[in-house]
Amino acid sequence: MSKVLELKNIEKTFYAGTVNENYVIKNLSLDLEDGDYVTVIGGNGAGKSTMLNIISGALLPDSGSVTIDGEDVTKLKEYQRAKYLGRVFQDPRLGTATNMSIAENMAIANRRGKNRGLKWGLPKSEEAEYKELLSILDLGLENRLDAKMGLLSGGQRQAVTLLMATIQRPKILLLDEHTAALDPKTAAKVLEITDKIVTQNKLTTVMITHNMRDAIKHGNRLVMLDAGRVILDIRGEEKQNLTVDQLLKKFEHLGGESTLSDRMLLG
Amino acid sequence: MINIILGAVSLGLLWAIMTTGVFLTYRVLDYADLSVEGSIVMGAAIVAKLITSGVNPVIATVIAFAGGLVAGTVTGLLNTKLKIPSLLAGILTMIALYSVNIRIMGKANITLLKSETVFTMIEAIGLDGNIGVIVLAVVVNAAIAFALYWFFGTELGCAVRATGDNEKMARAQGINTDTMKILALALSNGLVALSGALIAQDQSYADVSMGQGAIVIGLASVIIGEVLFYRGNFMNRLVSVVLGAVVYRIIIALVIEMGMRPTDLKLFTAITVAICLALPTFKPQLKTAVAKIMPHKREVK
Ligand SMILES: Nc1ncnc2c1ncn2[C@@H]1O[C@H](COP(=O)(O)OP(=O)(O)O)[C@@H](O)[C@H]1O
Ligand SMILES: [Mg+2]
């Protein structure tokens, strides 16, 4: 199988050489195979978001390399890597442009990785496609193409952001606790939509979650980060049969440096 | 009286071009750009120097616009490539332009009283005085509004808007946000310089200090326009900005007519803008205060 993502010996320290020095990612290596749907768990501050930010180029590693589908992208800027990546953030406000309409947001996403010139930014001919995609969400948004993004609820915004992240097929879909800011019912709905989009399009996906149950339920592979290292990487049948209890035991056994936060235990 | 109003309208329409530039940075890009104080003078300086050197006024005006593009690009590069905070980047360009503008003119001011200008050119076809200025300014403002309306509907224009709206989203969608900022700043300062070039030709002089307070006048005009006229789409918004600039000039003409000292104008404008900018902060308190005085009245708008 071909590797879609290769993180090799990634190191990241914040505020190096100051009293606030924070060694966050420690010689981290991780490979994703085509079609992998990996859930990532780990305590607060384990470095999960930092890892995702290093993949997306929002942060640069101190050393190590990031390779996407065989291309070394370590030096590429965030906007240059965007053509390979679909992203949804924890904060629903971050994924969309508030003062632009749903359709305009989707049109912008539809041009991810393409040259933007002086052609019309939102051609009428594309609206049918956006309507159809929005109807998949089953949130009634297909009739509100002209509504400003800022009028939507957090859950609706995350759902639209998911569509935007995948309207141009990404090589990797990066989800950083994208349901954490939502109420449980909405979170479940957005996760359901996520599963649907990922499986239908066979997307290689990294989904960070603070919820152990979700981490077990979704995807084909589970990775646990602790203090900037991968301490657990379970896949296949073993992953399917995993329980929250087993996961907790494994974590204790491995002697995680940080304690799993309360919200994770409750998850 | 009618002449005072006509004078205010013509001046307002010329300043409206600058206001549109300020609107681009302040509202579309969400960037308070102080370099406009220098670029408005730069437009005036370039046009005055070129016209007195015998260049055709129309060509001189276009070159002034180009000079503004360069000034805005410098601010954009300072901010995006050298990572200088936006306010400071604007101040640096503004200060630098002071020297540049004197170099362009060779002195602190140039008179155009005996020179041909775009306005003497249209006088020649029978439109003179304020009417001539108003006609020309309306045409220029309309052309700018249509051009911007079109531009911000294109893929590139949408990318600029997305950058101003949500930089993180823009980058995640593959938009080079640095380039978009530079582009918007260049365009904005180009319009501001164009405005300065026309104002200089209208007033028949260019002076190195004529830009003082321009940013505040621009902001006041943008806010007045939004409050009084903005109701919906982008075209309406562009028009509201122009009208805001005109209303601002009429207000100023009236308060001067009522006896305010011209030297107090900047204070007056600054206070007006401060109040407008503070309104959102005080809205909740205002609501409770009104509710106390008038319990039956629920909403304050
Ligand atoms: N951009 C940043 N600048 C400085 N410190 C950061 C930055 N991003 C993360 N950190 C620090 O790195 C550590 C790991 O953070 P993060 O990757 O967000 O953890 P997680 O997502 O696993 O909760 C934390 O101590 C955090 O404060
Ligand atoms: Mg995180």
Side-chain angles (χ1 to χ4, degrees), chain A residues 78 96 99 111 116 121, chain B residues 153 155 161 165-166 171 173:
Chain A
E78 188 179 6
T96 51
N99 296 310
R111 285 156 182 73
R116 290 167 211 264
Chain B
E155 294 173 342
R161 283 161 64 205
D165 195 316
N166 182 346
R171 274 197 297 271
Q173 297 301 341

Side-chain angles (χ1 to χ4, degrees), chain A residues 35-39 191 195 198-199 205 207 213-222 234-236 239-240:
Chain A
D36 262 354
Y37 180 179
V38 187
T39 56
L191 270 177
D195 269 356
V198 169
T199 46
T205 303
M207 177 168 90
R213 245 185 271 280
D214 288 340
I216 291 168
K217 187 172 150 209
H218 302 269
N220 68 331
R221 186 172 161 195
L222 183 148
I234 307 173
R235 45 187 116 189
K239 156 87 172 33
Q240 302 306 320

Side-chain angles (χ1 to χ4, degrees), chain A residues 17 25 36-37 49 58 85 99 102-103 113 116 126-127 129 154-156 161 165 170 194 202 207 218 224 228 267:
Chain A
I25 300 288
D36 262 354
Y37 180 179
S49 296
L85 304 170
N99 296 310
I102 297 180
R116 290 167 211 264
E126 292 178 15
E127 286 185 2
E129 181 193 351
Q156 289 172 326
T161 309
T194 308
K202 301 194 177 62
M207 177 168 90
H218 302 269
M224 188 184 277

Side-chain angles (χ1 to χ4, degrees), chain B residues 48-127:
Chain B
K49 181 68 191 177
L50 290 178
I51 287 178
T52 50
S53 312
V55 176
N56 175 297
V58 176
I59 293 171
T61 305
V62 172
I63 294 175
F65 172 75
L69 293 179
V70 174
T73 304
V74 169
T75 305
L77 290 172
L78 290 175
N79 177 236
T80 58
K81 302 301 172 200
L82 303 186
K83 313 277 179 228
I84 296 170
S86 51
L87 270 180
L88 195 52
I91 290 174
L92 290 177
T93 306
M94 174 182 95
I95 298 290
L97 281 177
Y98 185 86
S99 304
V100 172
N101 290 334
I102 292 180
R103 279 215 174 242
I104 291 172
M105 293 193 284
K107 48 189 171 181
N109 50 59
I110 293 180
T111 170
L112 292 171
L113 273 174
K114 293 188 200 97
S115 310
E116 192 188 24
T117 68
V118 287
F119 298 111
T120 61
M121 287 168 89
I122 57 168
E123 243 170 59
I125 58 166
L127 294 164

Side-chain angles (χ1 to χ4, degrees), chain A residues 48-49 90 176-177 208:
Chain A
K48 306 181 295 293
S49 296
Q90 176 169 350
D176 188 353
E177 302 203 34
I208 297 177

Side-chain angles (χ1 to χ4, degrees), chain A residues 109-150:
Chain A
N110 204 15
R111 285 156 182 73
R112 185 161 49 79
K114 300 188 173 159
N115 273 331
R116 290 167 211 264
L118 295 177
K119 277 184 288 185
W120 201 239
L122 177 57
K124 278 267 174 284
S125 56
E126 292 178 15
E127 286 185 2
E129 181 193 351
Y130 300 155
K131 266 193 179 169
E132 196 182 315
L133 281 169
L134 287 163
S135 67
I136 299 173
L137 302 178
D138 197 19
L139 296 170
L141 295 177
E142 60 275 18
N143 302 318
R144 297 175 62 191
L145 277 185
D146 294 329
K148 291 265 184 297
M149 213 62 219

Side-chain angles (χ1 to χ4, degrees), chain A residues 14-15 22 24 43-50 59:
Chain A
F14 290 111
Y15 310 117
N22 191 358
V24 174
N44 265 334
K48 306 181 295 293
S49 296
T50 304
L59 290 172

